[in-house]
Coordinates of all heavy atoms in Angstrom, one line a residue:
N289 N 61.2 59.5 106.6 CA 62.3 58.9 105.8 C 63.1 60.0 105.1 O 64.3 59.8 104.8 CB 61.8 57.9 104.8 CG 61.3 56.6 105.5 OD1 61.7 56.3 106.6 ND2 60.4 55.9 104.9
Q292 N 66.1 61.2 106.9 CA 67.1 60.2 106.9 C 67.8 60.0 105.6 O 69.0 59.8 105.6 CB 66.4 58.9 107.3 CG 66.0 58.8 108.8 CD 65.2 57.6 109.1 OE1 64.9 56.8 108.2 NE2 64.8 57.4 110.4
Q295 N 70.3 62.8 105.4 CA 71.5 62.5 106.3 C 72.4 61.5 105.6 O 73.6 61.6 105.7 CB 71.0 61.9 107.6 CG 70.4 63.0 108.6 CD 70.0 62.4 109.9 OE1 69.9 61.2 110.0 NE2 69.8 63.2 110.9
V316 N 98.4 55.3 91.5 CA 99.0 54.1 91.9 C 98.8 53.0 90.8 O 99.7 52.2 90.5 CB 98.5 53.6 93.3 CG1 99.0 52.2 93.6 CG2 99.0 54.6 94.3
V322 N 104.3 50.5 85.3 CA 105.5 51.2 84.9 C 106.7 50.7 85.8 O 107.7 50.4 85.3 CB 105.3 52.7 84.9 CG1 106.6 53.4 84.6 CG2 104.3 53.1 83.9
G324 N 106.8 48.0 87.6 CA 107.1 46.6 87.4 C 107.9 46.4 86.2 O 108.8 45.5 86.2
L327 N 111.5 47.4 86.8 CA 112.1 46.4 87.7 C 112.5 45.2 86.9 O 113.6 44.7 87.1 CB 111.2 46.1 88.8 CG 111.8 45.2 89.9 CD1 112.9 45.9 90.6 CD2 110.7 44.9 91.0
A330 N 115.5 46.1 84.9 CA 116.7 46.1 85.7 C 117.2 44.7 86.0 O 118.4 44.4 86.0 CB 116.4 46.8 87.1
T333 N 118.9 43.4 82.8 CA 120.2 44.1 82.7 C 121.2 43.5 83.6 O 122.3 43.2 83.2 CB 120.0 45.6 82.9 OG1 119.0 46.1 82.1 CG2 121.3 46.3 82.7
L338 N 125.9 40.0 84.4 CA 126.6 38.9 85.0 C 127.1 37.9 84.0 O 128.2 37.4 84.1 CB 125.7 38.3 86.0 CG 125.4 39.1 87.3 CD1 124.4 38.4 88.2 CD2 126.7 39.4 88.0
L347 N 138.8 36.5 79.3 CA 139.5 37.3 78.2 C 140.3 38.4 78.8 O 141.4 38.7 78.3 CB 138.4 37.8 77.3 CG 137.7 36.8 76.4 CD1 136.6 37.5 75.6 CD2 138.6 36.0 75.5
I350 N 143.6 36.8 79.9 CA 144.5 36.5 78.8 C 145.1 37.7 78.2 O 146.3 37.7 77.9 CB 143.7 35.6 77.8 CG1 143.3 34.3 78.3 CG2 144.5 35.5 76.5 CD1 142.3 33.5 77.5
S352 N 145.5 40.8 79.5 CA 145.9 41.8 80.4 C 147.2 42.6 80.0 O 147.3 43.8 80.3 CB 146.0 41.2 81.8 OG 147.1 40.3 81.9
P357 N 148.0 48.8 79.8 CA 148.5 50.0 79.2 C 147.4 50.8 78.5 O 147.4 52.1 78.5 CB 149.5 49.6 78.1 CG 150.0 48.2 78.5 CD 148.8 47.6 79.2
A358 N 146.4 50.1 77.9 CA 145.3 50.8 77.3 C 144.5 51.6 78.3 O 144.0 52.7 78.1 CB 144.4 49.9 76.5
I360 N 145.6 52.7 81.2 CA 146.4 53.8 81.7 C 146.3 55.0 80.7 O 146.1 56.1 81.1 CB 147.8 53.4 81.9 CG1 147.9 52.4 83.1 CG2 148.7 54.6 82.1 CD1 149.3 51.8 83.3
A361 N 146.4 54.7 79.4 CA 146.3 55.7 78.4 C 144.9 56.4 78.4 O 144.8 57.6 78.3 CB 146.6 55.1 77.0
A365 N 143.9 60.2 79.2 CA 143.1 61.1 78.3 C 141.9 61.7 79.0 O 141.6 62.9 78.9 CB 142.7 60.3 77.1
L370 N 139.1 66.2 81.6 CA 138.5 66.8 82.8 C 139.3 68.0 83.3 O 138.7 69.0 83.7 CB 138.4 65.7 83.9 CG 137.4 64.6 83.6 CD1 137.5 63.6 84.8 CD2 136.0 65.2 83.5
S372 N 141.1 70.0 81.5 CA 140.9 71.1 80.6 C 139.6 71.8 80.9 O 139.5 73.0 80.9 CB 140.9 70.5 79.2 OG 140.5 71.4 78.2
L383 N 136.8 85.4 85.1 CA 136.4 86.5 84.3 C 135.1 87.1 84.7 O 134.9 88.3 84.8 CB 136.4 86.1 82.8 CG 137.8 85.9 82.1 CD1 137.5 85.4 80.7 CD2 138.6 87.1 82.1
A395 N 129.8 101.3 89.4 CA 128.5 101.8 89.9 C 128.6 102.6 91.1 O 127.8 103.5 91.4 CB 127.6 100.6 90.1
A404 N 139.2 101.4 89.8 CA 138.6 100.2 89.2 C 139.6 99.5 88.4 O 139.7 98.2 88.4 CB 137.3 100.6 88.4
K405 N 140.4 100.2 87.6 CA 141.4 99.6 86.7 C 142.4 98.9 87.6 O 142.9 97.8 87.3 CB 142.1 100.6 85.8 CG 141.2 101.0 84.7 CD 142.0 102.0 83.8 CE 141.1 102.5 82.6 NZ 141.8 103.4 81.8
M408 N 141.0 95.7 88.8 CA 141.0 94.7 87.8 C 142.4 94.1 87.6 O 142.5 92.9 87.4 CB 140.5 95.3 86.4 CG 139.0 95.3 86.2 SD 138.3 93.6 86.4 CE 138.9 92.9 84.9
W409 N 143.4 94.9 87.5 CA 144.8 94.4 87.3 C 145.2 93.5 88.5 O 145.9 92.5 88.3 CB 145.8 95.5 87.1 CG 145.7 96.1 85.7 CD1 145.3 97.3 85.3 CD2 146.0 95.4 84.5 NE1 145.3 97.4 84.0 CE2 145.8 96.2 83.4 CE3 146.5 94.1 84.2 CZ2 146.0 95.9 82.1 CZ3 146.7 93.7 82.9 CH2 146.4 94.6 81.9
G423 N 148.4 74.7 88.1 CA 149.2 74.0 87.1 C 150.4 73.3 87.7 O 150.7 72.1 87.4
K429 N 151.7 66.3 90.9 CA 151.0 65.1 91.1 C 151.2 64.1 89.9 O 151.2 62.9 90.1 CB 149.5 65.4 91.2 CG 149.1 66.0 92.6 CD 147.6 66.2 92.7 CE 147.3 66.8 94.1 NZ 145.9 67.0 94.2
G433 N 152.6 60.4 90.3 CA 151.9 59.3 89.7 C 152.7 58.5 88.7 O 152.7 57.3 88.6

Side-chain angles (χ1 to χ4, degrees):
N289 289 337
Q292 290 174 353
Q295 283 181 346
V316 168
V322 173
L327 189 61
T333 305
L338 291 176
L347 294 175
I350 292 171
S352 66
I360 292 171
L370 291 177
S372 170
L383 289 174
K405 284 182 182 179
M408 271 305 287
W409 283 113
K429 286 185 180 180

